[in-house]
Amino acid sequence: MKNALHAEWTKLRTVPSNAWLLLAAAALTVVIGATAGAAVKCPAGNCTEDPAKISLTGIYLSQAVVAVVAVMAVSGEYGTGMIRLTLAAMPHRLTVLAAKAAIVTGPVLATGAVAVLGSLLAGRLILPGNGIGPAHGYPSLSLSDGPVLRAACGSVLYLALIALLSIGVAAAVREAAAAIGVVLGLLYLFPILSAALGNTSASRHIQEIGPMTAGMNIEATVGLSGLPMSPWAGLGVLTAWACGALITGGLVLRLRDA
């Protein structure tokens, strides 16, 4: 495992696009969160907005960048044929997949932490001026506040789970474009279906099983009783999707020729 981790880290850090994509994901999260905070107005202070969720709006798009980085960590080797060399040097295929998952998840966690902290700082500075702050009865965007801390830590874990889901899909599908399409479909198709069905029980069930619709519950800090499921239960649904994808990808990697 030590040699596999070293090899995967060398591959990840020597591809310049990976660092730029992760930097773009962090910047995108902060910029979109700040833009969303500036756009929401509540001068009377009687709105039902969620300050943390507004500040973390950028994760809806930056997760797609994280998915691309994770998919390319696997599918990129299939595209170049380097996977044959990798498996010849390290014949234990599940070890290779575990090493890829560990090496990709580390930088994603660091990126997510920077992005979330930057987004919350931007929200803390912008939202009170729009009537969404402690002066109007809203919780302060501070990590000392339990729900905000949960939303922050959960959002970082959310991005890491998206990376793991993407790695599993890429190991199963192999082709980069197809794998990215599958991951983005899993993430964004469920919200579209839920919105199309309207406020029905079927829509609620779709929100409960969708990896993004369920996982994003972790960002909520107000109105928790109106959620389809609790924040941690929602993140558990995404964890189940990620585990299922990794198991499927591991089986395909082990049983099929490279």
Side-chain angles (χ1 to χ4, degrees), residues 48-248:
T48 58
E49 304 291 347
D50 187 332
K53 200 169 185 65
I54 294 172
S55 300
L56 296 171
T57 302
I59 290 179
Y60 281 93
L61 292 181
S62 62
Q63 64 180 336
V65 182
V66 169
V68 170
V69 173
V71 165
M72 293 308 299
V74 178
S75 296
E77 289 199 57
Y78 281 100
T80 60
M82 187 178 175
I83 190 66
R84 298 184 182 89
L85 179 60
T86 296
L87 296 179
M90 295 176 286
H92 297 288
R93 298 188 173 195
L94 295 184
T95 300
V96 172
L97 183 62
K100 286 184 180 293
I103 290 301
V104 171
T105 302
V108 169
L109 285 171
T111 300
V114 172
V116 167
L117 289 176
S119 298
L120 292 177
L121 177 60
R124 184 183 178 92
L125 296 174
I126 295 172
L127 289 175
N130 295 341
I132 305 174
H136 294 89
Y138 289 94
S140 175
L141 280 176
S142 171
L143 295 181
S144 61
D145 182 64
V148 174
L149 179 61
R150 185 254 302 150
C153 295
S155 296
V156 176
L157 292 175
Y158 176 90
L159 289 176
L161 289 169
I162 293 298
L164 294 175
L165 170 66
S166 303
I167 288 172
V169 170
V173 177
R174 301 191 173 188
E175 205 277 325
I180 292 172
V182 170
V183 173
L184 296 184
L186 287 174
L187 293 178
Y188 296 110
L189 181 60
F190 285 92
I192 294 173
L193 290 175
S194 176
L197 291 174
N199 190 18
T200 64
S201 59
S203 173
R204 188 178 181 88
H205 289 317
I206 288 175
Q207 293 178 39
E208 291 173 344
I209 63 174
M212 184 174 79
T213 51
M216 281 292 185
N217 287 337
I218 197 67
E219 294 181 353
T221 59
V222 299
L224 300 185
S225 60
L227 296 175
M229 60 177 58
S230 68
W232 286 115
L235 199 66
V237 171
L238 177 57
T239 302
W241 276 94
C243 291
L246 286 172
I247 292 171
T248 302

